[in-house]
Amino acid sequence: MRATVQAEVVEVAHRLFTEQGFDGTTVDQIAAEVGLSRASLFRYFGTKEDIVLGRLEETGRQIAAELAARPDDEQPWDALRRAFDVLTRINEAAPPEQVLSYLRMLQETPSLRARHHEKQLGWKKLLVPEVARRWV
């Protein structure tokens, strides 16, 4: 049930962000269209930015899993590079106009850019131990 509600919120939010821009869309508008209260929406997503970027934590885990699955004799840089192919596969699965819209929104919205960077920095704790293991 939780995943269904989250998916609906993301879908509605992305449509509104595309129509009105990220900063031009309020959390109250998103909540109202989905039929949630503002407080309920924040039980699913910590921030408005997390509605857009919520999947980044899972993406980091997927990259870490890909890295761990790479052959042990592969050079650390090559293994890390191949692990990031996860991002290519994710982007290939989405319609090009959706990916482009997402990337534009990230580029044009300072709060999203900052939160995106923060979430990607969180990937370090997942990736560094495996890279360090390979370096020895």
Side-chain angles (χ1 to χ4, degrees):
M1 178 68 173
R2 182 175 180 83
T4 302
V5 172
Q6 285 176 316
E8 184 179 359
V9 169
V10 167
E11 182 180 327
V12 167
H14 278 270
R15 180 177 50 75
L16 291 172
F17 295 152
T18 300
E19 293 170 2
Q20 304 172 170
F22 183 82
D23 291 329
T25 302
T26 68
V27 172
D28 291 330
Q29 286 175 306
I30 298 166
E33 279 219 28
V34 179
L36 294 174
S37 69
R38 178 184 178 91
S40 292
L41 187 135
F42 281 123
R43 278 189 229 118
Y44 291 98
F45 298 94
T47 67
K48 181 178 168 185
E49 289 78 11
D50 287 339
I51 296 171
V52 177
L53 303 172
R55 293 187 201 128
L56 279 180
E57 290 168 12
E58 175 57 28
T59 301
R61 287 189 291 276
Q62 290 173 344
I63 293 167
E66 287 282 326
L67 179 58
R70 301 297 307 165
D72 284 339
D73 61 344
E74 191 170 40
Q75 292 295 314
W77 179 249
D78 293 332
L80 190 59
R81 166 60 192 93
R82 296 278 48 111
F84 273 85
D85 285 344
V86 165
L87 296 175
T88 302
R89 289 192 299 274
I90 289 169
N91 287 331
E92 285 175 343
E97 59 279 355
Q98 183 181 3
V99 173
L100 186 57
S101 172
Y102 175 81
L103 293 173
R104 276 193 187 123
M105 188 169 44
L106 282 179
Q107 184 61 35
E108 295 169 356
T109 312
S111 64
L112 273 177
R113 238 184 3 257
R115 186 77 171 130
H116 186 263
H117 181 68
E118 180 183 311
K119 284 185 174 275
Q120 283 186 324
L121 283 176
W123 294 355
K124 280 175 51 175
K125 68 179 179 211
L126 300 171
L127 302 175
V128 166
E130 180 62 22
V131 171
R133 182 188 71 78
R134 291 168 174 277
W135 229 278
V136 176

